[in-house]
């Protein structure tokens, strides 16, 4: 039986700030339960992404990747959150690493062409 991907979660001590951040990178808020979780959806990819309330964050930050086609816009919009500026990669694309309000790493990547294959897709 194949396994179907359902969703991914990141911890958050401030769901209001998480909602503002993740909405700002293009995720659509579909459900918010204060002091518990905020569910987001990206209909293009049929993925559910959740920020869940956790008063104690893990020692190591969580890292999540999102594909985009407007990396330069995000680098300007989230200037104060940039952890690693846009880097061009030898696989035929570029990525930008942001830090969300809870310290989680958010890597936005952009392929040079629609047929570019990232190393993790090989």
């Amino acid at each position: 039986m194949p396994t179907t991907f359902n969703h991914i979660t990141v911890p958050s001590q401030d769901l209001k700030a998480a909602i503002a951040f993740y909405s700002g990178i293009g995720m659509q808020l579909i459900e918010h339960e204060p002091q518990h979780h905020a569910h987001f959806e990206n209909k293009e990819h049929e993925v559910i992404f959740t920020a869940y309330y956790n008063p104690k964050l893990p020692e190591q930050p969580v890292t999540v990747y999102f594909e985009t086609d407007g990396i330069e816009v995000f680098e300007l919009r989230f200037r104060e959150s940039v952890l690693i500026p846009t880097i061009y990669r030898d696989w035929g694309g570029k990525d930008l690493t942001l830090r969300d309000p809870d310290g989680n790493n958010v890597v936005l990547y952009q392929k040079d062409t629609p047929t570019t294959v990232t190393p993790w897709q090989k």
Side-chain angles (χ1 to χ4, degrees):
M1 171 190 329
T3 302
T4 303
F5 180 77
N6 185 272
H7 70 279
I8 190 164
T9 63
V10 294
S12 175
Q13 290 180 324
D14 184 346
L15 288 176
K16 186 175 179 180
I19 290 169
F21 180 86
Y22 288 104
S23 295
I25 65 168
M27 299 300 288
Q28 180 182 355
L29 182 66
I30 58 171
E31 180 184 345
H32 176 214
E33 181 67 37
Q35 296 302 313
H36 191 262
H37 69 268
H39 289 310
F40 301 87
E41 179 178 55
N42 181 323
K43 292 187 183 223
E44 270 185 40
H45 298 102
E46 298 178 356
V47 173
I48 301 295
F49 176 79
T50 302
Y52 68 93
Y53 178 73
N54 189 341
K56 185 177 181 199
L57 297 176
E59 289 182 27
Q60 296 296 317
V62 172
T63 301
V64 292
Y65 287 73
F66 293 96
E67 185 175 353
T68 184
D69 60 2
I71 209 164
E72 290 82 6
V73 172
F74 291 117
E75 188 163 16
L76 291 173
R77 184 183 303 163
F78 292 96
R79 199 176 1 233
E80 69 284 348
S81 300
V82 172
L83 185 60
I84 302 171
T86 299
I87 297 172
Y88 288 86
R89 301 292 185 178
D90 60 4
W91 51 261
K94 51 193 168 185
D95 60 49
L96 164 69
T97 304
L98 304 175
R99 180 151 290 156
D100 81 0
D102 292 290
N104 299 303
N105 297 323
V106 177
V107 180
L108 302 175
Y109 71 93
Q110 181 175 337
K111 298 176 182 179
D112 285 343
T113 69
T115 57
T116 298
V117 178
T118 62
W120 54 89
Q121 293 173 315
K122 293 180 180 181

